[in-house]
Amino acid sequence: MNDDNDKTLQSYSDHVQDYVAGTPQDVSSDLRDWIDQALALIPAGGTILELGSGPGRDATYIKSKGYKIIATDAVPGFVDLLLKAGHEARLLNVLTDDFGSGYDMIFANAMLPHFTTGQVRGILRKILTSLKPGSVLAFRSNPHMQLGH
């Protein structure tokens, strides 16, 4: 891990409640449309690993659509919130931890911009080994939206 990532994680850890208070609780129409387009690319009820779930807004929406979602975050305070909200959730640091495998989609909304180009390359290598063949990586870094498969 590097100092910049450590600082980012510490900042989120120190301000979990502030982040929750400043995050819209409902998925906006643009975000909802993007998520729906991504979900249409995988089997109904498919398994999704969400990277950087934060307080779980996107996970809640995806779960409501009938998909199995495993919410993750590197900040223990967010994982606690996810578990209390009834999500399957686990602590996961994308730089140091194994993602597991067999996912129909890996979903990362506004998570990748926190990392350097070299770190993103490493994360993408992990993602490729975690997805089922023909599966989808759905990522978004505001304001650009991306779907990859």
Side-chain angles (χ1 to χ4, degrees):
M1 198 163 344
N2 68 31
D3 288 341
D4 287 342
N5 190 58
D6 289 341
K7 289 176 187 174
T8 298
L9 292 176
Q10 188 61 53
S11 178
Y12 276 109
S13 291
D14 291 345
H15 301 284
V16 167
Q17 292 306 321
D18 294 333
Y19 185 83
V20 171
T23 301
Q25 298 303 304
D26 294 322
V27 174
S28 69
S29 61
D30 288 344
L31 178 56
R32 184 177 54 250
D33 292 346
W34 175 72
I35 293 172
D36 290 344
Q37 288 174 10
L39 294 176
L41 297 173
I42 66 170
T47 300
I48 299 166
L49 179 71
E50 181 182 17
L51 304 176
S53 301
R57 177 198 61 204
D58 299 350
T60 298
Y61 178 75
I62 292 168
K63 187 177 176 181
S64 77
K65 302 300 255 177
Y67 293 85
K68 178 182 180 188
I69 184 155
I70 302 158
T72 71
D73 208 283
V75 175
F78 285 134
V79 174
D80 290 343
L81 289 174
L82 291 162
L83 291 168
K84 287 177 185 169
H87 290 290
E88 181 177 344
R90 67 180 167 121
L91 194 62
L92 183 122
N93 183 310
V94 297
L95 296 179
T96 60
D97 296 336
D98 181 69
F99 294 2
S101 63
Y103 304 109
D104 295 296
M105 176 187 289
I106 293 183
F107 180 88
N109 181 11
M111 187 272 305
L112 291 174
H114 289 293
F115 300 99
T116 66
T117 300
Q119 289 169 330
V120 170
R121 283 189 193 111
I123 294 166
L124 290 174
R125 278 192 290 278
K126 286 183 176 188
I127 288 169
L128 286 175
T129 62
S130 298
L131 287 167
K132 292 178 184 177
S135 296
V136 176
L137 163 61
F139 69 94
R140 179 176 118 129
S141 58
N142 297 332
H144 309 296
M145 294 182 228
Q146 303 291 326
L147 289 176
H149 53 163

